[in-house]
Amino acid sequence: PFAHRSVAIWSFAMWSRFARCTATPAFRFAKVAAGCAPTLQAPGSRGIALASAGAATAVAGWVVASPQGGVSSCEAAVDWNAVRKEIVKVLDNDKYVDSSYDGATPGPLFLRLGWHSSGTFCKHTNTGGSDGATMRFEPEMSWGANAGLKLAQDMLEPVKKQFPSMSYSDLWIFAAIVAIEEMGGPKIKFTPGRTDKPSGKECPVWEGSTHKDGRLPGADMGSPDKTAAHLRYIFNRMGFDDREIVALSGAHGLGACHTDRSGFWGPWTRAPTTVSNEYYRELIENTWTVKTTHKGKPWKGPLQFEDPTGDLMMLPSDIVLIQDKEFRKYVEQYAKDQDSFLKDFGAVVGKLFDGGCKGSTAKKGWFS
């Protein structure tokens, strides 16, 4: 039943993508009084320029320069429709491959880049967040939680070179938003105006017990109670409650883990390039046991869980969402109601991406 459901989800995503309007709206750029964040206003239809709907894939042969330091701002107006087209071209590159699952696109990787660049926000100190693109530098680049994200940065570097007035921090967030929409997810408001920090001295500091992962959540704290407490500790610092924590966790329905990055292995669902509630359905409806073998050999990686086929995985921080009664009620809700999940996911991802963005306090414009 899981395989049939995945085919249906994939078919819906492809149909949704094909059916989008291709008209390009006209935009006016208005400078906001505080800072240089322009508000993008679309007086006409909400069209989206699309490239072909073919499955995107991999990276063999990507050779691009590493992002350099320096302050970048939004003084020159950026044609975000043109940027979108270039990002879609990268998403549709048929050379992209992923060692953990077939039919991969860079979409989940771009979402993770935007997520991790935003997930450093602290509402108490108003530090970190999506403004700055400090993941270009050490020590943030080498945080354990950011393993593999240099690849995403490199894949977007040609787009940055085409639009030099665009900041890296805006590009990363916009690429994540485009990826979500291209994978059949909800539309998320995008307000440009982020600026890039000049050096690693600006990387957010974290003195907590998980400092090796920076300010980002870890997958396992040793017990369900400690892992649940850790999730609340990390996400409450960003301003998220239990419902929002569970909604954000739905991003795990996309992509996969890799032994050469996090040490974990495998996809969470059979539709890893489609935004859906499949992650929650797998959590509730499937059977999860501790992984002991991998491809016929003893599993030597960190603690993770697998389904009876061994094809799918869950992290301890995923399983705790059905072990903790407060988290579980939202898992059950989203498993039953995809529309509810998509609505909450769009809202909470928008909130995440605005964290720490000084331009986000300005009047919101529409773009998507």
Side-chain angles (χ1 to χ4, degrees), residues 204-229:
V205 177
W206 184 239
E207 302 295 341
S209 59
T210 59
H211 66 277
K212 290 183 179 180
D213 285 324
R215 293 184 174 187
L216 299 167
D220 182 19
M221 293 296 109
S223 72
D225 288 347
K226 290 180 180 179
T227 300

Side-chain angles (χ1 to χ4, degrees), residues 230-249:
H230 168 72
L231 290 179
R232 290 188 172 100
Y233 179 55
I234 294 292
F235 284 96
N236 290 171
R237 186 210 70 225
M238 292 185 248
F240 297 115
D241 59 22
D242 282 1
R243 184 189 192 100
E244 292 170 314
I245 292 170
V246 177
L248 275 175
S249 296

